[in-house]
């Protein structure tokens, strides 16, 4: 009797239950995917909003011999800065830096000056002068 049950085909009721279970699983997957996409979109909008409210700062760092630092040393400084920025989140971004003889001039976008100061402190970098950029001019300005 037991072996005969194993050889029997599933009843129509069993097939319906299996179909309903699969349908529910698919619906649940669609709902969860839509929720995740909505959360990602919300996060992207918040980041975009933060970026549009950021100010630009120029930081002067007095570092004797900065112009003589090796590529490997500059890479290490860059990696330290990027690690700190990653920990601090999207309210501060490093654009680029200019390395001169005894100074490094860095351009950052940040929500406020305090974030730039915090980055310098956490990274162990000097921030001898932090100035908010009022406007940007270039040779194209002469023709406007």
């Amino acid at each position: 009797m037991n072996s005969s049950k194993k050889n029997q085909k599933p009843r129509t009721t069993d097939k319906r239950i299996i179909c309903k279970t699969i349908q529910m699983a698919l619906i649940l997957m669609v709902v969860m995917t839509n929720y995740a996409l909505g959360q990602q979109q919300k996060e992207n909008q918040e980041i975009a909003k933060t970026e549009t409210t950021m100010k630009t700062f120029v930081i002067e760092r007095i570092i004797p011999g900065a112009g003589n630092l090796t590529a490997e040393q500059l890479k290490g400084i860059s990696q330290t800065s990027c690690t700190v920025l990653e920990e601090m989140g999207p309210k501060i971004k490093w654009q680029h830096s200019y390395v001169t003889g005894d100074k490094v001039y860095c351009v950052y976008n940040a929500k406020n000056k305090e974030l730039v100061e915090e980055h310098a402190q956490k990274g162990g970098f000097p921030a001898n002068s932090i100035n908010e950029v009022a406007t940007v001019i270039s040779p194209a300005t002469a023709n406007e």
Side-chain angles (χ1 to χ4, degrees):
M1 183 176 222
N2 228 357
S3 62
S4 65
K5 282 188 178 182
K6 287 183 185 177
N7 295 333
Q8 289 179 353
K9 292 183 180 179
R11 292 181 291 171
T12 305
T13 306
D14 292 341
K15 288 180 182 179
R16 285 187 188 145
I17 291 171
I18 291 169
C19 286
K20 289 289 184 187
T21 302
I22 291 171
Q23 285 177 333
M24 291 303 290
L26 290 173
I27 290 169
L28 183 59
M29 286 173 49
V30 168
V31 168
M32 294 302 290
T33 301
N34 284 339
Y35 175 78
L37 290 172
Q39 290 299 104
Q40 183 64 46
Q41 184 179 13
K42 182 179 175 184
E43 184 178 311
N44 289 345
Q45 288 171 345
E46 288 174 10
I47 290 170
K49 183 179 177 184
T50 299
E51 288 177 356
T52 59
T53 60
M54 288 205 259
K55 301 171 185 174
T56 301
F57 294 91
V58 176
I59 301 97
E60 179 184 54
R61 304 183 194 281
I62 299 174
I63 304 173
N68 295 321
L69 292 171
T70 66
E72 196 62 33
Q73 289 170 315
L74 292 170
K75 180 179 180 180
I77 292 168
S78 176
Q79 289 172 335
T80 299
S81 180
C82 290
T83 298
V84 172
L85 288 167
E86 191 174 301
E87 291 169 4
M88 291 180 69
K91 294 182 180 180
I92 181 169
K93 290 187 175 189
W94 174 30
Q95 296 302 312
H96 57 271
S97 296
Y98 301 98
V99 180
T100 66
D102 291 322
K103 295 181 182 178
V104 177
Y105 297 92
C106 303
V107 180
Y108 277 73
N109 294 111
K111 193 158 179 121
N112 55 52
K113 182 178 178 178
E114 291 75 22
L115 287 169
V116 177
E117 291 168 340
E118 180 183 343
H119 173 266
Q121 187 270 325
K122 286 182 175 181
F125 309 119
N128 304 92
S129 174
I130 301 172
N131 294 288
E132 183 179 340
V133 174
T135 192
V136 176
I137 63 170
S138 71
T141 308
N143 300 319
E144 291 178 359

